[in-house]
Amino acid sequence: MDTDLTQRVNELLRQYDRPEASAADLLCDRHPADRVAFTVVDADLTATDLTYGELRERSTRFAAALAELGVEPGDRVATLMAKSADLVVALLGIWRRGAVHVPLFTAFAPPAIAFRLETSRAVLVIADADQASKLAPGEDIPADPNWRLVVTGAHARADDAVADALWFDELVSAHTADDPRGAAATVGGDGLLVQLFTSGTTGTPKGVPIPVRALASFHAYQEFALDVRPDDMYWNAADPGWAYGLYYAILSPLASGTRSLLLHAGFSAGLTWRVLERFGVTNFAAAPTVYRALRADETPVPAGVALRRASSAGEPLTPEVVAWSARDLGVAVRDHYGQTEHGMVICNAWHDELSADVPLGSMGRQLPGWRCAVLADDSDTEAAPDEMGRVAIDTENSPLLWFLGYLDAPERTAQRYTEDGRWYLTGDAGSRDAAGFFRFSSRDDDVIIMAGYRIGPFEVESVLVLHDQVAEAAVVGMPDELRGEVLEAFAVLRDGSAGSPELAAELQQLVKEKFAAHAYPRQVHFVTDLPKTPSGKVQRFVLRQQGVR
């Protein structure tokens, strides 16, 4: 690694990994009060600048409110919120109090929400008004939950569903910015910042504890891979309910003091073009699905779009997207690779000292602060160049490594490491060439990545078998031109019947209602049995072959 970059990694570690570390100070208070943190953009392109001074005042008020509600340092506080000024204030208030944030994706249905709240033992949930009905008592949400509910937005939209809810704006306005209960808590580099859940594959989702010191890694990625500079207009379009959006649309800009955009609206290609042009975005990061949608849109690229950097993460980029972006955007989008457990570690980096011609299909080289390798399939030794094997992270030579192990899941944690603990196994297969460029091959854990969202088959399968007629079910990802992958389900019926389009529609709707609206199977295949190994494990590769059209 270049000496200057090594020194920079060490500087970042000294900033974030120290006993006196305070998340509120690192993410807000140390920055100039008049500096703009976020420009929040609405669907009509009206925009509001949110300064660090405003964030400090409002989050202090909210932290005092949390203290009054009995929230203590270390308590879990969940958010079911879209990108907005209130979201940033809520997060900073949580961290200022020393509490731990539990992100909930707004597409989740009540069962998925309830699982995460109960598993994390959350004491409070902050939800947007149009999401609050998911927290109303019912089949999946207990009548007397262990958490209290705070609602943001218009009262009228949530009153009927959550009559006993508290209101975010009232809590903030009822406290003052000099309330000592809102003082920034000191938690140290090992103090927990976030508890984020992975997508389950062979079991339920596991909690990933994210310590304050992880900010060093997030900050480094923004500098080394994204190459965000002070004069950039930076926009990471990912949803903060998931790792890439939370880490790099919220946390890394706050840590570095970088102004960035938050779009308070749903995705559309047309709106994305308008935001890119109107706000002069120069550094853009998004899932491949966004780039595919922009490519498929019939609208010509607006003349005012002038990107300096374009980056992608969440799933491999296809060659046609790279070629299109180079031709029509004036910059070839670059692929980056990482995981919830680590953030981004292997990237086609943009930093001047790391940038290189990108081989077709490469997911990049290891970033400064990380040492990655491909291990042979039959031993814990490094594979030869271009040999397929297991993508792994060297735990002894990766100073930015911050993963602590899954919460309350020692067996699952142990499975992630080689027997000697030297290597963390990502669960992905790939190769590395002699120049150090990695290539992705497949996912060992069968996680489905659709439109940049990681979806665990187990969660969808668990919903499908709730139907009275379904005896067994398996879900796989199938190639899709726009989304990268879509879900397809294979169901064995209890009565051995052939199924029907009506039953397929019922199962799709069940997944929407019980798990998440985006994660329903686009096709349901009714089969007499599921292909399995002698040990009883479903052979998903056989199902993928059956599902190819």
Side-chain angles (χ1 to χ4, degrees):
M1 192 195 312
D2 183 279
T3 302
D4 290 342
L5 298 184
T6 300
Q7 291 177 350
R8 182 56 180 153
V9 169
N10 292 333
E11 288 174 4
L12 291 172
L13 287 169
R14 286 193 294 270
Q15 283 184 43
Y16 298 104
D17 190 10
R18 49 194 175 87
E20 65 275 19
S22 162
D25 177 66
L26 292 168
L27 297 171
C28 179
D29 299 355
R30 65 174 176 156
H31 302 309
D34 59 351
R35 180 181 295 175
V36 174
F38 293 99
T39 296
V40 182
V41 181
D42 289 310
D44 62 359
L45 299 188
T46 58
T48 304
D49 285 341
L50 194 60
T51 68
Y52 283 101
E54 292 170 314
L55 285 174
R56 179 171 187 170
E57 178 182 354
R58 293 184 63 195
S59 65
T60 298
R61 291 170 178 262
F62 187 56
L66 291 175
E68 187 171 281
L69 292 173
V71 175
E72 297 293 338
D75 282 346
R76 270 53 172 174
V77 178
T79 60
L80 185 61
M81 303 172 70
K83 291 171 278 190
S84 65
D86 281 348
L87 172 64
V88 182
V89 171
L91 295 182
L92 285 171
I94 292 168
W95 295 324
R96 188 176 296 280
R97 181 62 186 150
V100 181
H101 172 225
V102 179
L104 300 173
F105 184 38
T106 53
F108 279 150
I113 293 169
F115 171 82
R116 287 158 175 80
L117 293 178
E118 291 166 354
T119 302
S120 67
R121 297 184 286 276
V123 300
L124 193 77
V125 187
I126 310 162
D128 288 339
D130 59 358
Q131 294 285 325
S133 61
K134 296 178 181 178
L135 279 302
E139 182 180 351
D140 304 297
I141 304 297
D144 186 23
N146 294 321
W147 58 82
R148 299 189 69 176
L149 177 61
V150 174
V151 179
T152 72
H155 293 210
R157 298 176 64 185
D159 276 342
D160 293 340
V162 286
D164 296 329
L166 302 167
W167 294 95
F168 183 80
D169 55 353
E170 293 178 358
L171 290 173
V172 172
S173 62
H175 296 80
T176 63
D178 57 1
D179 191 320
R181 294 174 298 179
T186 296
V187 297
D190 289 333
L192 291 191
L193 194 69
V194 177
Q195 180 176 331
L196 186 59
F197 284 86
T198 65
S199 297
T201 54
T202 58
T204 54
K206 304 298 188 293
V208 176
I210 301 166
V212 170
R213 71 167 183 266
L215 293 171
S217 172
F218 303 158
H219 192 153
Y221 169 74
Q222 183 175 291
E223 285 190 17
F224 298 152
L226 297 177
D227 189 36
V228 177
R229 300 180 183 180
D231 58 349
D232 269 328
M233 175 54 77
Y234 171 58
W235 182 23
N236 184 324
D239 192 290
W242 297 94
Y244 194 68
L246 178 62
Y247 296 172
Y248 307 115
I250 301 292
L251 285 169
S252 71
L254 286 174
S256 63
T258 301
R259 178 190 181 191
S260 63
L261 295 183
L262 279 183
L263 178 60
H264 184 58
F267 171 79
S268 73
L271 179 57
T272 301
W273 284 129
R274 291 192 294 275
V275 172
L276 289 170
E277 181 180 36
R278 172 72 66 85
F279 294 93
V281 175
T282 57
N283 198 312
F284 184 56
T289 305
V290 171
Y291 291 102
R292 286 195 292 268
L294 293 175
R295 176 174 175 263
D297 187 54
E298 296 180 357
T299 304
V301 177
V305 173
L307 294 178
R308 187 179 67 84
R309 301 287 187 249
S311 306
S312 176
E315 56 189 290
L317 280 172
T318 51
E320 63 270 19
V321 171
V322 177
W324 164 80
S325 63
R327 183 185 66 249
D328 289 16
L329 295 181
V331 58
V333 59
R334 291 190 172 183
D335 198 6
H336 297 168
Y337 167 86
Q339 294 189 315
T340 298
E341 293 89 340
H342 301 284
M344 311 308 287
V345 296
I346 297 172
C347 302
N348 290 298
W350 283 110
H351 189 285
D352 287 344
E353 296 182 41
L354 300 170
S355 185
D357 292 337
V358 177
L360 190 64
S362 162
M363 63 187 193
R365 296 183 291 190
Q366 64 192 22
L367 288 175
W370 298 93
R371 182 174 182 270
C372 303
V374 174
L375 303 184
D377 285 329
D378 57 357
S379 69
D380 295 335
T381 58
E382 295 189 42
D386 299 316
E387 179 183 336
M388 195 64 63
R390 300 166 293 160
V391 179
I393 299 172
D394 185 347
T395 63
E396 296 180 2
N397 295 286
S398 298
L400 289 178
L401 183 87
W402 52 263
F403 180 58
L404 301 169
Y406 302 108
L407 288 172
D408 303 320
E411 291 185 4
R412 174 71 185 276
T413 298
Q415 292 170 359
R416 280 297 197 183
Y417 294 89
T418 55
E419 189 172 348
D420 61 2
R422 168 70 184 276
W423 298 97
Y424 172 90
L425 304 173
T426 65
D428 291 323
S431 62
R432 183 176 62 173
D433 65 20
F437 286 95
F438 288 75
R439 290 177 182 271
F440 177 84
S441 174
S442 64
R443 291 179 297 278
D444 290 345
D445 60 6
D446 285 319
V447 164
I448 299 161
I449 300 180
M450 185 181 74
Y453 298 122
R454 295 174 66 86
I455 302 167
F458 179 82
E459 291 189 280
V460 181
E461 292 161 0
S462 298
V463 172
L464 292 171
V465 297
L466 292 176
H467 196 286
D468 292 340
Q469 292 182 248
V470 177
E472 285 188 292
V475 173
V476 299
M478 297 297 294
D480 180 81
E481 184 175 351
L482 179 61
R483 299 177 183 86
E485 283 185 308
V486 293
L487 281 77
E488 293 193 11
F490 295 78
V492 178
L493 300 183
R494 295 186 184 280
D495 60 5
S497 66
S500 66
E502 291 77 16
L503 179 56
E506 285 183 29
L507 295 175
Q508 290 171 326
Q509 185 61 30
L510 186 64
V511 172
K512 293 179 182 178
E513 293 175 352
K514 294 294 186 181
F515 176 52
H518 71 295
Y520 73 93
R522 266 51 179 185
Q523 287 201 33
V524 179
H525 306 273
F526 296 104
V527 295
T528 56
D529 55 36
L530 298 175
K532 298 177 181 177
T533 65
S535 64
K537 184 177 179 180
V538 175
Q539 295 176 302
R540 297 181 190 277
F541 73 95
V542 176
L543 293 177
R544 293 189 188 98
Q545 293 171 354
Q546 293 177 4
V548 172
R549 297 180 292 279

